[in-house]
Amino acid sequence: EPEVTQTPSHQVTQMGQEVILRCVPISNHLYFYWYRQILGQKVEFLVSFYNNEISEKSEIFDDQFSVERPDGSNFTLKIRSTKLEDSAMYFCASSEGARGYGYTFGSGTRLTVV
Amino acid sequence: QQQVKQSPQSLIVQKGGISIINCAYENTAFDYFPWYQQFPGKGPALLIAIRPDVSEKKEGRFTISFNKSAKQFSLHIMDSQPGDSATYFCAASKGNTGGFKTIFGAGTRLFVKA
């Protein structure tokens, strides 16, 4: 079964550093997303991406965050100047369509900011 | 208006019993209501989903009941098994041309006792 692949599975970074979280969505999916889940809490929307541009972003997704699809397969989330409160599981997801489709999530990257 | 409220927070059920998780939403523009199952250390996985023009959908032991007028929907797990022990998230989304943001409930931790 097709999978969304995320790397690394765990990233530890110093406060103030930049991190890049990587994702390889399912190859025939056109819509890409980042969500985050602070330990034990709900899954929160960060951003959706389609046709090489952001289609929607949440209030969490401020200037500290950026996304990119640098080639035909990777989808990255960059977090600049990380803060302690950025520690969370970050999930990449992709979907085949824009309406009425569920997501396929990756297994996540656990980001720990120390 | 963007919230999805989920209850209970946790649920313990005997093996073979019925697990019931309830959700309520406010935004009548939502047009897709998925349920996700999440095991520890994994991303959420789409379990079953329903559109608002249908009152019930069944897939194996999992059934969604949908009440459009009350803006409520629920997940029923029949013949619950220890392997069903996981966190369950209800969700709601509204499609648009650029993809769709999904709003997740806070999650229900289900434990099925053997």
Side-chain angles (χ1 to χ4, degrees), chain A residues 1-105:
Chain A
E1 190 168 325
E3 287 186 341
V4 173
T5 304
Q6 287 188 246
T7 55
S9 57
H10 192 188
Q11 172 99 45
V12 180
T13 189
Q14 295 271 353
M15 194 168 51
Q17 295 297 304
E18 174 182 288
V19 295
I20 297 176
L21 311 183
R22 303 181 191 278
C23 169
V24 179
I26 292 173
S27 60
N28 65 333
H29 285 187
L30 300 176
Y31 302 87
F32 314 115
Y33 311 86
W34 284 99
Y35 280 75
R36 80 173 184 188
Q37 185 178 32
I38 294 170
L39 187 62
Q41 298 186 25
K42 70 165 66 177
V43 180
E44 298 178 294
F45 172 78
L46 292 178
V47 67
S48 59
F49 190 88
Y50 168 70
N51 201 25
N52 281 319
E53 60 183 23
I54 291 173
S55 49
E56 190 171 1
K57 59 184 180 179
S58 72
E59 58 276 6
I60 302 168
F61 195 90
D62 59 20
D63 291 343
Q64 186 193 3
F65 295 87
S66 62
V67 289
E68 194 177 36
R69 189 156 161 81
D71 53 42
S73 60
N74 290 285
F75 179 51
T76 62
L77 174 69
K78 183 188 289 186
I79 309 174
R80 287 178 282 273
S81 190
T82 50
K83 300 177 279 203
L84 294 176
E85 54 265 38
D86 294 328
S87 295
M89 281 290 285
Y90 288 81
F91 291 106
C92 174
S94 65
S95 69
E96 187 175 350
R99 297 188 73 95
Y101 286 85
Y103 297 154
T104 301
F105 280 92

Side-chain angles (χ1 to χ4, degrees), chain B residues 6 26 29 37 42 47 61-62 68 71 83-84 92 104:
Chain B
Q6 183 172 347
E26 296 169 355
Q37 179 189 55
K42 297 291 187 184
L47 188 63
R61 297 184 294 110
F62 301 92
K68 189 174 180 178
K71 292 187 281 187
D84 297 331
F104 284 79

Side-chain angles (χ1 to χ4, degrees), chain B residues 33-88:
Chain B
F33 299 88
W35 285 87
Y36 287 86
Q37 179 189 55
Q38 185 180 30
F39 292 105
K42 297 291 187 184
L46 181 65
L47 188 63
I48 186 173
I50 197 167
R51 298 173 199 257
D53 53 347
V54 175
S55 61
E56 185 175 282
K57 184 172 181 181
K58 184 175 180 178
E59 288 183 2
R61 297 184 294 110
F62 301 92
T63 300
I64 301 178
S65 297
F66 190 86
N67 185 330
K68 189 174 180 178
S69 60
K71 292 187 281 187
Q72 295 174 347
F73 58 111
S74 60
L75 175 70
H76 294 231
I77 306 173
M78 312 300 286
D79 187 26
S80 299
Q81 299 297 311
D84 297 331
S85 298
T87 299
Y88 292 81

